[in-house]
Amino acid sequence: MLEKRTEIKDTVNKVSKKVFLYGWVNSVRDHGKLIFVDLRDRSGIIQLVGDNKLLDGLKNEFVLQIAGQVQARPPKLVNPKIKTGKVEVKVEKVKILSQSLDLPFNVSDDGKEINENLRLKYRYLDLRRPRMRKNLLVRQRAIEFIRNWLIKNDFWEIETPILTKATPEGARDFLVPSRLQKGNFYALPQSPQQYKQLLMVAGIEKYFQIARCFRDEDPRADRAYGEFTQLDLEMSFVDEKDILSLTETLFSQMCQEVFPQKHISKKPFPRLTYKEAIKKYKTDKPDLRKNKNDSEELSWCWVVDFPLFEWKKHESRFDAMHHPFTAPKEKCVADLLAKKNLGKLQAKQYDLILNGYEVGGGSIRIIDPQVLGAVFEVMGHTPQKIKEKFGHLLQAFDFGVPPHGGIAAGLDRILMILQNEPSLREVIAFPMTASGQTAVMKAPSSASSEQLKELGIKKSPRLKS
Ligand code: ASP
């Protein structure tokens, strides 16, 4: 049993008391007969002082148990830079709980100069630096706010499967081979899109999830490779306006509460049509900040009325601009069913933009199986393929589907912007490298021949192991 612990931040309230502290050696200053050690735990840093016989041989990042007495520092020796600067602990007993090698890099500065692959290899050390710790803490506060807010507003948080069938969001799927049904594969979800729509058929009405999504697409600076986290939500009996105003209130209040130093340049968030955005700003994610050098300015806006389809030149076919479940505007339904003016049809689709980044997107969904079928056909699916891939959804829609719509917001990207970080990887605990290698553990890695045999998979002789 460990002795009752005092967290370092609480030492300031324990002057003259005996305490047990646990933490890492942050630094050691040898003053001959006296040695000063800065001890660090999650809550802060405190100065320890002790006889050189007691504190000799300690090195940075050793983990210690300390018994000692908290004493007020003389006014001249108060350190205003740390929260415990008015006190120090006179050490009576030291126990080294574990030792540490020299670290591969410094963890007390912001670490931005260090090679990123090295930081990711030793991510558990990189996360010791105050900047990264703060990013993790702020992330959890933001998610906590969102979760509580939605629950207070009657949403149910529901988990959906990770091992599932492909849900198209425009990227490649990650496939997982099945051992029980050899030769068949699960796909990791590109989003919980179909499940949240099934939950609407189930009568849940208001759903959300802090969902992990998996997309095998080429890495970009503002896009994490492989997986990312989104706030996914869906509501029944709503139209576009309802979703926009709910999302807007949620994010405005979250910023106010968790990022009070930021100011939102315009409320309600400006709304531009896709056409206006392209015409005026030549992009569908305009950066409407008044002053792009002001790091505390947040400029949110909506882009609405997207085209339903985009023409994929290299594939010579139309694809859904958002995803195939997105409803066309009422006035475009007849043309869609007649397969006319396909490039001009408008969708009930909206994107949420923050400082020039697309940070969310959603739509009102198609609930008429005939219209959904027409979208799939325009995208080039045969009736046979439609049945195979989406038969379950079409069937569900035969049993009383409420009008519904939703949105998903990329939490990594939003936090990157709110934390003024240059990359998504700075706000994710264990992100992948740009080339798709996991932090700390080396994945992807080879599988043993027994594993492959169990899965009924043979490696091509051309592939090196
Ligand atoms: N599933 C969509 C996405 O991940 C969001 C939505 O339409 O609700 O972008």
Side-chain angles (χ1 to χ4, degrees):
M1 215 358 217
L2 295 181
E3 301 288 349
K4 189 168 162 23
R5 174 183 183 199
T6 296
E7 283 188 48
I8 284 175
K9 69 171 172 17
D10 296 329
T11 48
V12 278
N13 306 319
K14 301 222 160 168
V15 176
S16 311
K17 298 248 165 66
K18 195 166 161 155
V19 290
F20 288 94
L21 304 178
Y22 294 84
W24 287 259
V25 173
N26 204 57
S27 60
V28 182
R29 293 179 299 283
D30 191 340
H31 285 211
K33 258 183 102 48
L34 278 185
I35 291 184
F36 292 88
V37 171
D38 278 352
L39 188 74
R40 181 188 79 233
D41 71 10
R42 197 181 67 168
S43 74
I45 288 184
I46 186 149
Q47 175 167 286
L48 311 177
V49 52
D51 193 281
N52 64 355
K53 278 186 228 96
L54 259 179
L55 296 178
D56 194 31
L58 297 181
K59 288 179 65 186
N60 282 2
E61 305 303 318
F62 277 25
V63 180
L64 308 182
Q65 180 198 49
I66 297 290
Q69 185 158 359
V70 183
Q71 55 191 30
R73 296 203 210 179
K76 267 205 331 224
L77 298 180
V78 164
N79 178 357
K81 285 197 200 126
I82 54 174
K83 288 203 179 112
T84 61
K86 286 190 173 151
V87 296
E88 62 187 3
V89 169
K90 184 159 184 345
V91 178
E92 289 163 5
K93 238 174 157 181
V94 182
K95 193 165 168 192
I96 296 176
L97 300 179
S98 76
Q99 303 195 351
S100 171
L101 299 174
D102 290 341
L103 300 193
F105 45 66
N106 190 344
V107 295
S108 55
D109 58 12
D110 78 6
K112 287 189 172 149
E113 305 300 318
I114 303 164
N115 174 291
E116 198 184 24
N117 286 351
L118 189 67
R119 285 179 57 203
L120 291 179
K121 180 175 174 192
Y122 296 101
R123 187 58 151 187
Y124 46 89
L125 300 179
D126 192 48
L127 293 177
R128 287 184 186 173
R129 71 180 75 255
R131 177 173 68 94
M132 298 306 287
R133 198 193 281 319
K134 180 158 169 263
N135 283 353
L136 292 186
L137 179 63
V138 170
R139 183 183 177 112
Q140 93 87 21
R141 284 200 185 129
I143 291 178
E144 181 190 18
F145 182 91
I146 290 169
R147 177 172 269 131
N148 290 342
W149 192 94
L150 286 168
I151 292 171
K152 238 189 264 149
N153 281 278
D154 260 350
F155 280 77
W156 291 5
E157 182 173 16
I158 299 176
E159 290 158 275
T160 53
I162 295 295
L163 291 174
T164 180
K165 199 177 169 93
T167 281
E169 295 279 0
R172 252 177 240 109
D173 287 319
F174 282 100
L175 294 178
V176 179
S178 159
R179 178 180 61 84
L180 297 179
Q181 294 175 36
K182 288 194 184 39
N184 285 330
F185 296 81
Y186 301 98
L188 305 184
Q190 292 186 31
S191 81
Q193 184 62 37
Q194 295 190 73
Y195 284 110
K196 66 175 173 173
Q197 293 195 239
L198 292 172
L199 287 171
M200 295 304 107
V201 179
I204 300 303
E205 295 197 21
K206 288 175 164 190
Y207 140 96
F208 85 98
Q209 181 177 193
I210 309 295
R212 202 60 74 79
C213 302
F214 304 88
R215 298 184 190 177
D216 186 358
E217 50 194 348
D218 296 329
R220 281 193 332 218
D222 63 338
R223 198 158 66 187
Y225 174 74
E227 58 186 280
F228 62 94
T229 304
Q230 69 182 17
L231 162 64
D232 191 41
L233 64 86
E234 194 78 6
M235 298 163 83
S236 294
F237 310 114
V238 289
D239 62 19
E240 288 170 81
K241 283 195 296 310
D242 299 310
I243 303 214
L244 266 51
S245 93
L246 176 118
T247 310
E248 194 164 322
T249 311
L250 167 58
F251 281 112
S252 301
Q253 292 186 7
M254 189 273 276
C255 289
Q256 220 171 340
E257 179 77 20
V258 186
F259 301 90
Q261 74 282 15
K262 302 268 175 197
H263 59 94
I264 296 179
S265 33
K266 215 166 188 189
K267 277 204 279 189
F269 302 171
R271 291 180 193 181
L272 297 102
T273 64
Y274 175 83
K275 255 195 189 146
E276 283 166 353
I278 297 289
K279 194 161 164 219
K280 202 160 164 198
Y281 302 102
K282 313 241 167 341
T283 171
D284 58 3
K285 19 184 182 298
D287 185 348
L288 302 183
R289 276 176 296 176
K290 291 191 197 100
N291 178 358
K292 299 203 174 56
N293 299 320
D294 176 357
S295 61
E296 307 304 2
E297 181 180 357
L298 297 178
S299 156
W300 298 89
C301 71
W302 291 102
V303 176
V304 299
D305 299 354
F306 276 78
L308 187 62
F309 297 115
E310 62 181 338
W311 181 251
K312 291 255 149 123
K313 236 199 212 150
H314 53 288
E315 295 172 40
S316 292
R317 67 173 188 102
F318 279 110
D319 199 1
M321 186 93 172
H322 187 46
H323 52 54
F325 314 106
T326 297
K329 296 266 183 196
E330 247 70 68
K331 61 179 183 195
C332 302
V333 173
D335 272 3
L336 169 64
L337 293 176
K339 315 269 162 53
K340 274 190 353 208
N341 299 322
L342 293 173
K344 294 206 175 114
L345 306 183
Q346 277 183 355
K348 294 182 182 175
Q349 185 207 329
Y350 30 83
D351 272 3
L352 179 61
I353 313 297
L354 173 57
N355 293 0
Y357 288 93
E358 180 200 325
V359 293
S363 61
I364 299 297
R365 323 301 183 189
I366 300 170
I367 58 168
D368 179 339
Q370 209 195 342
V371 177
L372 193 52
V375 168
F376 286 135
E377 276 171 40
V378 170
M379 288 170 59
H381 294 297
T382 59
Q384 170 68 18
K385 267 267 166 305
I386 298 172
K387 207 162 159 224
E388 238 171 65
K389 286 188 156 171
F390 306 107
H392 50 271
L393 197 69
L394 290 163
Q395 184 174 46
F397 284 6
D398 282 340
F399 294 102
V401 51
H404 61 283
I407 190 165
L411 290 179
D412 307 311
R413 205 176 276 177
I414 291 177
L415 287 162
M416 172 187 90
I417 300 165
L418 291 173
Q419 290 288 79
N420 298 329
E421 287 290 1
S423 139
L424 290 167
R425 291 187 282 275
E426 304 294 336
V427 297
I428 299 173
F430 294 100
M432 288 202 201
T433 65
S435 58
Q437 179 169 314
T438 56
V440 186
M441 302 183 207
K442 272 203 177 146
S445 51
S446 61
S448 69
S449 41
E450 291 80 47
Q451 283 173 313
L452 292 180
K453 205 167 146 202
E454 268 184 340
L455 295 168
I457 289 180
K458 254 206 190 123
K459 211 148 96 181
S460 155
R462 276 178 299 148
L463 288 178
K464 285 188 262 140
S465 59

